[in-house]
Amino acid sequence: MTNLNQISRRDVLKLMGLGAGSLYLSACGLLPSASADPTAAPVFSTPFTPASDLPLLSVDLTAGRGALPIFSGAETSILKYQAEVKEGGGESIQTLSDSYLGPIFRVKQGQRVQVRLNNELPDPTIIHWHGLIIPEAMDGHPRYAIAPGKSYDYDFQVINRAGMYWFHPHPHQLTAPQVYYGLAGLFIVSDEEEAALGLPAGEYDLPLVIQDRIFDSQNQMVYGANGMMDAMIGFLGDTILVNGAPDASMDVKASAYRLRLLNGSNSRIYKLAWQDGTPLSVIATDGGLLEKPVTREYITMGPGERVELWADFSGRNAGSEMNLVSLPFTDFSGGGGMMGGGMMGGAGLPNGTPLDIVRLRIGEKGADVTPLPSQLSTIERHDVNNAVNRNTPRSFRLAMQGMVHTINNRLFEMDAVARDEIVRLGDLEVWEFVNLEGGGGGRGMGMGGMNMDMPHPMHMHGVQFQILDRQIARGFESAYRELSSGFVDDGWKDTVLVMPGETVQVLVRFENYTGMFLYHCHNLEHEDAGMMRNYRIEG
Ligand code: C2O
Ligand code: CU
Ligand code: CU
């Protein structure tokens, strides 16, 4: 078991090395490499029970370098997944031209998917299918990371309900830079229940991936220029990109749209709203459709979270615009200017800075609008009384210790599972994330007199969960209330934002596969710095 006394000087230097990440593309190898054994060939014996006669989808994804004209002038060096469909392609794979973002998978529940990942990066990599419930060898644990030149074969059946999932690299200590330089894609699942609703489809189904970056005067992405500050707080950019495009605007028709939002940023939190104050109609979260649409004045999205909106522009005039913005809120890592980057220079915009996200320019009349159904799906609510640990939640204390964030005083260890990280297949449990030890708040200051209270978007692999309860500690309420009415906790989730001072309880059933899975903070710099652990589902 690692505790902080065991964090060596080398680990600290590694963290600082993370800060040299802007060298990543040019001087790869400076970054610590994953310790997975590249010769350890994955062994699969996934027992498939093809639930249907749906066609097999087989795709090669090559992770490699590329360049794109993102701005006028010099092209931007990027990393990208190139897709090559081997079988069952058709409409299942949508490539985004002019974007570093990976292809969009569009598959049906029950479909079998084979992916060969070819690593043409200068560093180890592996793909994780965020939100999908698949066997452990398919899940992209960092111990399966493959060396440059190697490949990894995925073969799984999609058992998730309809929803927008996504995929991204997951090699130890390299997830954040690899995502940052462009490696991420969407994995959209549909099912029959959803199809029967007649929701906006085709051109009216619009995924919007929101990310932030910093570009230098040569149009190159800059990562980690603030060294350890970035590792502690998380990367914050100064330029918002939607689907890989800065200053994004899109032409839409006067019709209803299904807008599928992913916060694909490394660490930024958004408070999304329509600029004109139109309420947002939310129809889905991480794990798919809500039972009923809900309305929000704004929605709060932490990294890794998804939200789907139903937006009806049919009554709007041609030539008008609907602007999605991020509203201002108080920065929690409240050292203010210090943490906001004043000290280090060249930093991005602090969390809470008001931002333009995307401009939708409304044009001609589009397809007739089918009214949004009042019932979208049924969600069987877990009952806390059925939880095996209902009186003693499995508790995870999130804390700032030294220069890293820990979970129950531990950092990530590649193969370790502690005794309190073992669960039983079939059990329903209460998991509790407790964010009271940021070092700031009412508890005095952390690092060098700076307040390090930070939100942690906590993510679990291998499951979808339901949110049971949120409690905010005294002294943290006012900052909390600037964001808390934007949470959408009604549906299935795989990532939940745990605010400073907050305790969030979730109900989770480990019902599908045994094996070792991860839970971690989806602030990717926190994750890379070790705010991640294994848990094991035992049969
Ligand atoms: Cu999207 Cu383990 O993460
Ligand atoms: Cu995940
Ligand atoms: Cu975190």
Side-chain angles (χ1 to χ4, degrees):
M1 214 181 291
T2 299
N3 60 39
L4 280 167
N5 302 327
Q6 293 167 282
I7 296 172
S8 65
R9 188 179 148 71
R10 207 171 125 256
D11 290 325
V12 172
L13 289 174
K14 272 189 188 173
L15 277 172
M16 300 177 76
L18 205 80
S22 54
L23 301 171
Y24 176 71
L25 281 174
S26 52
C28 32
L30 277 184
L31 285 168
S33 60
S35 55
D37 175 2
T39 61
V43 189
F44 316 132
S45 55
T46 315
F48 272 110
T49 40
S52 61
D53 44 12
L54 293 167
L56 169 73
L57 174 64
S58 177
V59 183
D60 273 14
L61 285 183
T62 300
R65 302 183 198 215
L68 273 180
I70 296 179
F71 300 95
S72 61
E75 293 202 329
T76 303
S77 298
I78 51 145
L79 303 180
K80 187 173 168 62
Y81 293 119
Q82 291 287 354
E84 193 188 328
V85 177
K86 296 289 179 195
E87 208 181 316
E91 285 156 11
S92 306
I93 293 288
Q94 205 181 323
T95 50
L96 299 163
S97 52
D98 304 330
S99 175
Y100 54 78
L101 287 173
I104 301 175
F105 285 70
R106 286 189 183 265
V107 305
K108 296 205 165 78
Q109 185 184 39
Q111 209 168 346
R112 180 176 173 182
V113 177
Q114 289 178 340
V115 175
R116 169 163 293 182
L117 166 66
N118 300 310
N119 183 6
E120 290 185 4
L121 303 172
D123 290 299
T125 197
I126 193 71
I127 289 178
H128 166 59
W129 310 91
H130 181 128
L132 291 188
I133 297 169
I134 47 182
E136 73 170 326
M138 302 292 109
D139 196 52
H141 190 282
R143 73 189 185 287
Y144 294 123
I146 49 167
K150 299 278 196 259
S151 58
Y152 193 98
D153 286 313
Y154 296 89
D155 188 343
F156 55 84
Q157 189 179 24
V158 176
I159 64 173
N160 287 70
R161 66 204 285 269
M164 186 169 84
Y165 308 92
W166 63 301
F167 61 97
H168 59 76
H170 222 299
H172 186 38
Q173 298 182 321
L174 291 171
T175 297
Q178 289 187 4
V179 171
Y180 182 81
Y181 286 112
L183 295 175
L186 299 173
F187 195 102
I188 296 174
V189 178
S190 60
D191 63 20
E192 277 161 24
E193 177 192 51
E194 182 195 62
L197 296 172
L199 293 172
E203 66 174 296
Y204 302 101
D205 172 347
L206 198 60
L208 299 171
V209 180
I210 306 170
Q211 298 175 308
D212 59 339
R213 300 288 183 264
I214 292 176
F215 295 90
D216 67 16
S217 56
Q218 266 37 262
N219 292 345
Q220 301 310 307
M221 293 185 189
V222 177
Y223 182 71
N226 293 295
M228 262 179 355
M229 284 299 165
D230 277 355
M232 284 191 288
I233 297 175
F235 172 88
L236 291 167
D238 61 5
T239 304
I240 300 297
L241 298 102
V242 171
N243 298 346
D247 199 10
S249 65
M250 292 173 196
D251 292 320
V252 296
K253 292 181 178 154
S255 182
Y257 280 79
R258 177 178 193 170
L259 303 176
R260 304 190 191 237
L261 309 180
L262 160 65
N263 179 355
S265 309
N266 284 30
S267 88
R268 183 175 296 280
I269 290 163
Y270 298 93
K271 179 176 180 175
L272 297 173
W274 294 116
Q275 192 170 39
D276 69 359
T278 302
L280 300 146
S281 179
V282 183
I283 59 169
T285 53
D286 302 345
L289 292 170
L290 302 173
E291 281 202 312
K292 298 174 194 316
V294 300
T295 298
R296 292 285 185 273
E297 295 304 313
Y298 65 88
I299 48 178
T300 303
M301 285 188 87
E305 291 187 296
R306 288 87 69 206
V307 154
E308 298 186 27
L309 305 177
W310 187 81
D312 183 3
F313 308 136
S314 62
R316 311 242 163 205
N317 298 327
S320 63
E321 282 184 354
M322 283 294 279
N323 296 329
L324 191 66
V325 299
S326 186
L327 300 172
F329 56 91
T330 304
D331 188 14
F332 8 74
S333 48
M338 294 292 273
M339 303 311 289
M343 187 171 62
M344 314 296 283
L349 305 168
N351 258 314
T353 306
L355 301 162
D356 291 330
I357 305 296
V358 61
R359 249 172 321 133
L360 302 177
R361 291 187 304 246
I362 293 152
E364 67 200 62
K365 187 181 177 316
D368 288 342
V369 175
T370 320
L372 179 61
S374 58
Q375 179 85 26
L376 299 167
S377 181
T378 45
I379 292 177
E380 201 188 313
R381 297 301 306 185
H382 291 316
D383 181 351
V384 63
N385 293 310
N386 296 332
V388 295
N389 63 347
R390 63 186 171 279
N391 298 319
T392 49
R394 197 178 288 273
S395 196
F396 299 93
R397 282 178 300 105
L398 316 177
M400 176 84 194
Q401 292 175 272
M403 283 177 291
V404 290
H405 303 277
T406 56
I407 303 176
N408 282 347
N409 296 329
R410 301 176 184 122
L411 289 172
F412 182 62
E413 297 166 277
M414 189 63 79
D415 302 300
V417 180
R419 255 200 298 178
D420 56 3
E421 294 175 315
I422 298 171
V423 301
R424 275 201 357 249
L425 185 69
D427 279 358
L428 177 70
E429 289 206 1
V430 184
W431 278 36
E432 172 182 84
F433 300 107
V434 184
N435 189 5
L436 292 172
E437 297 171 53
R443 279 150 234 279
M445 292 296 178
M447 286 294 301
M450 290 177 283
N451 183 338
M452 292 300 288
D453 285 325
M454 296 213 53
H456 297 290
M458 296 305 295
H459 171 51
M460 294 177 73
H461 288 214
V463 291
Q464 291 282 331
F465 52 75
Q466 293 175 356
I467 293 171
L468 174 63
D469 186 51
R470 292 177 179 266
Q471 296 287 338
I472 188 75
R474 216 175 299 149
F476 292 90
E477 299 99 325
S478 71
Y480 185 69
R481 288 202 191 103
E482 292 183 44
L483 289 171
S484 58
S485 49
F487 296 137
V488 186
D489 289 346
D490 311 60
W492 291 104
K493 296 282 293 168
D494 55 53
T495 308
V496 61
L497 191 59
V498 186
M499 292 296 292
E502 192 176 30
T503 296
V504 179
Q505 291 188 335
V506 305
L507 278 166
V508 53
R509 192 184 291 283
F510 306 93
E511 56 189 335
N512 296 104
Y513 300 103
T514 57
M516 192 163 87
F517 295 91
L518 295 162
Y519 65 102
H520 61 86
C521 179
H522 219 286
N523 175 319
L524 297 183
E525 284 71 31
H526 291 182
E527 174 184 338
D528 275 354
M531 195 178 195
M532 172 159 78
R533 291 288 302 174
N534 294 315
Y535 76 97
R536 194 164 63 231
I537 306 174
E538 290 186 348

